[in-house]
Amino acid sequence: MLRTEINELLTQTGPGTPMGELFRRYWQPVLLAEELPENDCPPVRAKILSERLIAFRDSEGRYGLMDEFCAHRGVSLWFARNEQGGLRCPYHGWKYDVTGQAIEVPSEPETSNFCANVKLKSYPMVKLGDVLWAYLGDPEKQPPLPEWEFVTVPEGHAFTSKRLQECNWLQALEGGIDSSHVSFLHSGNLDSDPLFKGSKGNQYNKGDLKPFFEVVDYEGGLLIGARRNAEENHYYWRVTPWVLPNFTMVPPRGDHPVHGHFWVPIDDEHCWAYSFDYHPTRHLTDVEVAAMRAGMGVHSENDAAYRPVANKDNDYLMDREAQRRGETFSGIRGIALQDSSIQESMGPIVDRTKERLVATDAGIIKARQKLRKSALALQEGVEPVGNRPQDQKVRSVAIVLPADQAFVEGIGEAMIAKPGVPQTTV
Ligand code: FES
Ligand SMILES: [Fe+2]
């Protein structure tokens, strides 16, 4: 249970809010690279952390991310023409380059210096892997570029998608931290989803519905270990890293690609779930990529605006018969929509003053504490962690350990991403 003011502190990420300022110390996914596929392609709306921005790619392939609205009289530059070297507002023809600098104001005399003094707010945006990343914070505090393993593996090893989730970022993140729901909500999918089925770990998952959670601090965030019974005197551990503020990674299953998420606030009542899959030591197969594109695993089938086809307007295409037959536990098809349907059902911002937490919520409790502490410490000038390359070279782990061994000792360096080294998985 949280007090109202703490719930507000954790869930509000607009400019000037404590959590918003914390988020502004990190490179965040702002678009998929496929949204700006070529030079001079149409501009794209990119709202993040309650800021309405426009993104485009100019004639030389440079990316621009800036205030959505024209400095003249506020027209949305989504309507702009992407012309040679800049975006031209369609109302009176003011033109901007990728830094937001006005480079033409046609109504002004050629000798006038007017446009030199007009600049839209703009932010750096770079392509790494399949994702365009933006940094919205103080330029003086800009961290190094992200080095998450899913953006640094060789070409062909990774796949990334995104979907709109119609609720606050924190309740989406909390779903990523709480792996106790897997044995219930996703139980129907462990044996049927081509990106999950067949691993030994699935049997342990389904055989023990009372996982014990152990949460351990590490520099970039938390390691959340879920312990389930395995063979005699052994436990099956699934270890989920959470890296501040909004990165989580699902533990692997067999030789399947491993997956994870960024939960990126759009505004306080919507977020993007950026969902990635990668394999550290091999290409994804055509069959795997086809399954991801079809919305299996952690991905979803979406419309052109990245809103899932199954959404709250159609009750997520609930199938009571499939629920009754046990094909799906909740009646909703697909792991991604199982998560977002129940999280959206909690309301746009869940009222955490009314919740009743139990032992399996230990990871969520600790993550909230760390987020709150980091946001308040930043106000006192203490820079956060999670934005340094060493925090980002992290992996999830699935492993069977002797019953008397602590999971942190047992996993050793398996949670550290090393190029070319296989994942530790069961
Ligand atoms: S409003 Fe954009 S040029 Fe006038
Ligand atoms: Fe889930």
Side-chain angles (χ1 to χ4, degrees):
M1 194 184 102
L2 286 185
R3 293 204 311 273
T4 303
E5 57 272 27
I6 299 176
N7 200 29
E8 287 172 356
L9 180 132
L10 293 173
T11 52
Q12 295 173 357
T13 59
T17 60
M19 194 53 59
E21 292 306 302
L22 183 70
F23 263 96
R24 284 168 175 76
R25 283 290 197 277
Y26 298 83
W27 287 96
Q28 287 288 316
V30 63
L31 292 174
L32 288 175
E34 67 183 25
E35 296 180 75
L36 293 175
E38 57 194 21
N39 297 355
D40 291 330
C41 60
V44 177
R45 295 183 189 97
K47 188 176 182 190
I48 175 174
L49 302 174
S50 300
E51 291 190 47
R52 288 183 64 174
L53 305 171
I54 198 84
F56 74 110
R57 182 166 163 180
D58 77 2
S59 314
E60 271 126 65
R62 292 176 301 184
Y63 290 108
L65 180 67
M66 60 201 197
D67 193 348
E68 182 184 332
F69 302 100
C70 180
H72 180 210
R73 278 170 43 211
V75 163
S76 168
L77 293 171
W78 183 78
F79 294 93
R81 300 166 56 92
N82 194 356
E83 295 181 350
Q84 188 59 39
L87 266 196
R88 190 184 293 283
C89 178
Y91 208 5
H92 315 94
W94 292 25
K95 185 174 173 182
Y96 303 91
D97 71 12
V98 287
T99 69
Q101 179 64 51
I103 49 175
E104 267 184 62
V105 174
S107 60
E108 290 296 295
E110 295 221 344
T111 51
S112 136
N113 198 24
F114 182 80
C115 80
N117 296 318
V118 178
K119 190 171 187 298
L120 294 173
K121 177 180 69 184
S122 77
Y123 300 115
M125 181 169 75
V126 297
K127 177 180 179 299
L128 288 170
D130 301 326
V131 175
L132 297 177
W133 303 80
Y135 175 73
L136 271 60
D138 178 351
E140 307 250 297
K141 304 285 186 188
Q142 185 176 314
L145 290 175
E147 294 195 25
W148 307 103
E149 192 172 31
F150 81 102
V151 296
T152 56
V153 288
E155 184 88 22
H157 286 224
F159 175 88
T160 313
S161 69
K162 77 173 192 182
R163 67 179 158 79
L164 178 68
Q165 190 157 325
E166 298 175 63
C167 71
N168 183 263
W169 78 279
L170 184 63
Q171 69 213 52
L173 169 83
E174 289 177 348
I177 287 176
D178 150 38
S179 78
S180 71
H181 73 271
V182 175
S183 309
F184 294 92
L185 185 65
H186 305 314
S187 56
N189 300 69
L190 292 181
D191 293 333
S192 62
D193 192 297
L195 297 167
F196 279 68
K197 67 182 183 187
S199 86
K200 179 106 192 281
N202 292 357
Q203 304 313 316
Y204 301 131
N205 240 121
K206 294 202 305 180
D208 185 351
L209 301 185
K210 292 189 197 302
F212 172 79
F213 276 74
E214 194 176 322
V215 186
V216 174
D217 268 300
Y218 94 99
E219 259 210 285
L222 295 173
L223 294 177
I224 298 135
R227 189 189 80 190
R228 290 178 173 87
N229 293 324
E231 286 73 23
E232 211 176 309
N233 291 326
H234 284 77
Y235 288 128
Y236 169 63
W237 286 93
R238 292 180 63 74
V239 182
T240 301
W242 165 64
V243 183
L244 280 148
N246 59 339
F247 172 92
T248 53
M249 217 171 139
V250 182
R253 292 184 188 277
D255 189 50
H256 289 303
V258 65
H259 30 255
H261 305 274
F262 271 91
W263 313 95
V264 181
I266 297 171
D267 53 32
D268 294 344
E269 300 194 347
H270 301 84
C271 63
W272 291 117
Y274 281 84
S275 307
F276 60 83
D277 253 289
Y278 73 94
H279 199 292
T281 55
R282 66 164 171 83
H283 271 77
L284 303 183
T285 66
D286 291 347
V287 173
E288 286 168 344
V289 173
M292 293 167 197
R293 284 196 197 289
M296 292 189 232
V298 294
H299 306 280
S300 56
E301 198 187 339
N302 302 327
D303 67 15
Y306 298 96
R307 188 184 192 218
V309 172
N311 56 55
K312 65 179 180 185
D313 295 341
N314 54 28
D315 279 331
Y316 309 91
L317 307 174
M318 160 68 80
D319 183 345
R320 295 282 181 198
E321 286 308 312
Q323 185 179 33
R324 198 163 291 133
R325 289 192 300 269
E327 284 164 33
T328 55
F329 195 76
S330 74
I332 308 297
R333 234 181 99 232
I335 287 160
L337 266 296
Q338 287 162 4
D339 282 327
S340 64
S341 57
I342 51 97
Q343 289 159 13
E344 290 178 5
S345 80
M346 297 152 88
I349 305 175
V350 67
D351 181 356
R352 291 182 176 78
T353 65
K354 293 187 179 149
E355 64 191 7
R356 303 272 295 269
L357 300 184
V358 291
T360 52
D361 297 313
I364 290 174
I365 294 169
K366 275 216 157 191
R368 291 176 185 172
Q369 286 168 347
K370 271 209 160 192
L371 282 166
R372 178 165 164 254
K373 267 195 186 159
S374 304
L376 295 177
L378 180 60
Q379 291 185 317
E380 306 300 319
V382 180
E383 290 298 317
V385 295
N387 53 11
R388 308 165 303 181
Q390 71 263 34
D391 303 327
Q392 299 168 347
K393 290 180 183 159
V394 69
R395 278 186 186 166
S396 54
V397 176
I399 194 168
V400 173
L401 295 173
D404 57 1
Q405 192 170 25
F407 89 84
V408 191
E409 274 165 36
I411 63 174
E413 300 220 320
M415 53 142 311
I416 299 171
K418 294 186 185 142
V421 174
Q423 54 194 349
T424 299
T425 179
V426 179

